[in-house]
Amino acid sequence: MRILHILNHTNRLNGHVHAAVDLACAQKESGHDVAIASGGGDFDALLAKAGVETTFLDHTRKPRELVTALTALRRFVRAWRPDVVHAHMMTSAVLAFPVCKLSGLPLVTTVHNAFEKSAILMGLGNRVIAVSEAVRASMRQRGIPASRLAMVLNGTIGSIRFRGRDRTPVALESPSILFVGGQHPRKGLPDLFDGFAIARAKHPDARLYIVGGGPYLSTYQEMVGKAPYAEAVTFVGGLDDPFPWMLGADILVLPSLADPAPLVLSEAREAGCAIIGTKVDGIPELLEMGEAGILVPPQSPQAIGEALLSLLDDPDNLAEWRRRSQLNIGHLTIDRVMRETLAVYEAAGAGKRSGRAAKN
């Protein structure tokens, strides 16, 4: 099958980019012809090494640039002749829709950021992939017919991005509590800070590490700097690969207020962290509905503090939740994501088109 992915860029530190790159490389490795049209970025060298073709497509949201991008995409599609087009963001779907209509190609879209109002534009696809059951329900409520919706839960284990990665745990002061993610309000970091304060009142040796960058980084640094526990918190900043920090951590906390299907959870589970996550969006699904991680209500520092204490007070309980993080972990592989996505392509008509092309 010839598969064309479209996304706004290929830079690191964006979950939808990681998911699309993982999928494209896995598809290429399994024998398909794969290309990515994007604004380019950090992963282009990796894509080239994996044999995934790349072409530049400007996603700037201005009329003139969008017209130029439509022309460029139409030209590339006519020359490369994909069997299916897979758009991963709203601008990508808007660009792909008319080109697919003119070319008679099936368009598949993936809803990565269901919390955005513009996510309804992903309904332009012949088939719409939701990255969790929670996202599928959200899109159904927005009017996308169930017959056009499919669910493919995110997973990263086995990704080409991680081959040859450093698996040496970072030496952290124990007990160590870790957050990995963007510094945005929807990630709920103030709740984690307040929950950490509750736990540290009883465990003054506890340490909190914050990995990630974003527009609110300086705000959160200032917030923590005024707190009595400031010396126990380390802001690491953005990292290309936070996995060694997960390997070195005892507990990972994800206090999100909205999170469709965060990739960090499959990585943290692979690393063997005990995990605390909020009961929002796809987080429960990635934690086996509470069997592989402790679930707490969102916007509840008290619940986060109590969950931390349940682990810090009892080393055996901490060890048990680290063990439980491995429950059904084989379901979080990129191979499973690839196979289920290919099935969506076939349901959209790509298999028939590919078969006709093979006969010609």
Side-chain angles (χ1 to χ4, degrees):
M1 192 181 297
R2 293 177 67 79
I3 305 161
L4 172 62
H5 293 274
I6 307 178
L7 56 157
N8 47 5
H9 59 76
T10 57
N11 288 319
R12 297 182 186 274
L13 304 180
N14 287 90
H16 78 277
V17 173
H18 295 180
V21 167
D22 289 350
L23 177 60
C25 291
Q27 290 168 338
K28 177 61 181 179
E29 196 166 48
S30 68
H32 300 280
D33 294 319
V34 186
I36 286 184
S38 77
D42 303 325
F43 284 121
D44 284 354
L46 174 66
L47 291 166
K49 185 177 180 180
V52 175
E53 186 174 343
T54 58
T55 186
F56 180 79
L57 188 67
D58 189 356
H59 278 62
T60 303
R61 297 181 184 181
K62 294 181 179 179
R64 184 174 180 177
E65 283 77 4
L66 289 174
V67 170
T68 300
L70 276 171
T71 303
L73 181 59
R74 171 69 169 155
R75 186 182 304 117
F76 182 78
V77 165
R78 294 177 73 175
W80 201 75
R81 301 181 66 185
D83 298 307
V84 63
V85 176
H86 189 160
H88 292 266
M89 292 299 288
M90 279 65 81
T91 304
S92 303
V94 170
L95 289 171
F97 180 72
V99 173
C100 287
K101 282 291 185 182
L102 288 170
S103 306
L105 288 170
L107 172 62
V108 173
T109 59
T110 292
V111 184
H112 295 280
N113 295 334
F115 52 84
E116 296 182 356
K117 292 182 178 179
S118 55
I120 188 62
L121 291 172
M122 304 311 281
L124 292 170
N126 301 99
R127 290 291 188 279
V128 180
I129 295 175
V131 294
S132 65
E133 286 291 354
V135 170
R136 173 153 60 180
S138 173
M139 297 307 291
R140 186 71 186 91
Q141 291 176 352
R142 297 185 196 195
I144 307 300
S147 59
R148 289 170 48 214
L149 281 166
M151 195 283 285
V152 179
L153 187 67
N154 275 344
T156 63
I157 297 174
S159 162
I160 192 172
R161 287 186 296 118
F162 301 150
R163 292 177 192 169
R165 74 192 319 183
D166 184 4
R167 290 181 174 268
T168 305
V170 173
L172 305 179
E173 294 186 59
S174 188
S176 53
I177 301 159
L178 178 68
F179 167 88
V180 177
Q183 311 294 291
H184 301 279
R186 72 177 179 88
K187 289 293 186 177
L189 271 170
D191 296 331
L192 173 56
F193 297 146
D194 290 344
F196 175 70
I198 293 170
R200 191 170 182 270
K202 187 174 181 182
H203 294 273
D205 54 344
R207 296 293 181 268
L208 175 61
Y209 299 88
I210 307 296
V211 174
Y216 280 75
L217 176 57
S218 60
T219 300
Y220 294 145
Q221 288 174 324
E222 183 178 353
M223 182 186 300
V224 169
K226 299 176 181 178
Y229 53 80
E231 74 281 1
V233 181
T234 300
F235 286 88
V236 180
L239 298 173
D240 287 346
D241 185 7
F243 192 68
W245 289 77
M246 298 183 199
L247 289 171
D250 297 308
I251 305 165
L252 179 128
V253 182
L254 190 60
S256 302
L257 311 183
D259 233 334
L263 298 177
V264 67
L265 289 181
S266 64
E267 293 188 56
R269 288 183 58 185
E270 183 182 8
C273 295
I275 300 171
I276 300 170
T278 46
K279 297 177 186 177
V280 298
D281 298 336
I283 291 177
E285 296 168 55
L286 287 165
L287 294 179
E288 306 296 327
M289 307 310 289
E291 293 296 317
I294 299 172
L295 294 173
V296 298
Q299 295 182 297
S300 179
Q302 184 66 35
I304 292 174
E306 290 173 359
L308 286 170
L309 284 172
S310 74
L311 299 173
L312 299 178
D313 286 347
D314 186 349
D316 289 339
N317 192 40
L318 173 60
E320 171 64 11
W321 278 104
R322 297 191 73 156
R323 184 192 66 79
R324 290 176 67 168
S325 71
Q326 303 306 295
L327 178 68
N328 199 29
I329 198 169
H331 188 63
L332 298 180
T333 64
I334 188 60
D335 182 65
R336 189 268 307 161
V337 172
M338 179 198 66
R339 287 185 280 104
E340 292 182 2
T341 302
L342 290 174
V344 176
Y345 294 168
E346 292 176 359
K352 295 177 182 178
R353 182 181 176 88
S354 180
R356 289 195 300 268
K359 293 179 182 179
N360 293 335

